[in-house]
Amino acid sequence: MSADGAWKTSVNSPMGVQEGELEITTSGETFTGIMKGRQGDGDTLAWSASITMPIPMTLEFTVTVSGDAMTGSVKAGAFGSSPLTGVRA
C-alpha cells in the first residue's frame, strides 16, 4: 500500500483542533512531503530520523530556511545538540 497523495490532517492539540494538508511522494525507501496549515508554510522545519549505526537513536532536526541557506540543530539523544547548516544544491 502506498502513502502517496494528498491527505487532510487533524491534530487534537492543547490549543484546539489544528487542521492541515499533507502531500506525500514516495520513492523506494524514502519519501518527501509538504505540510500546510492555517498558520501558513513558514520558514521553520522540524523532522526526526531513526538510525541504527553507529548506535540506535532518533535524531531530531530543527532548521530555519532563508533563501538558499538553512541553519539549525540536530539533537542526537543523550549526546545533545549539534549545529546544522546547509545550502541549496
Side-chain angles (χ1 to χ4, degrees):
M1 179 176 289
S2 173
D4 288 339
W7 298 78
K8 289 185 179 183
T9 62
S10 178
V11 176
N12 191 6
S13 79
M15 298 180 298
V17 175
Q18 304 295 315
E19 295 180 347
E21 297 175 16
L22 175 62
E23 181 74 31
I24 297 174
T25 304
T26 59
S27 176
E29 294 183 14
T30 65
F31 73 93
T32 58
I34 298 172
M35 186 162 199
K36 297 179 183 179
R38 283 187 275 184
Q39 286 74 32
D41 297 334
D43 59 359
T44 301
L45 305 173
W47 70 95
S48 62
S50 296
I51 63 170
T52 58
M53 295 296 288
I55 62 172
M57 75 173 71
T58 299
L59 303 176
E60 298 175 15
F61 297 83
T62 303
V63 300
T64 300
V65 176
S66 178
D68 289 334
M70 69 169 53
T71 58
S73 64
V74 57
K75 183 178 178 193
F79 297 101
S81 293
S82 299
L84 179 149
T85 61
V87 294
R88 194 176 308 270

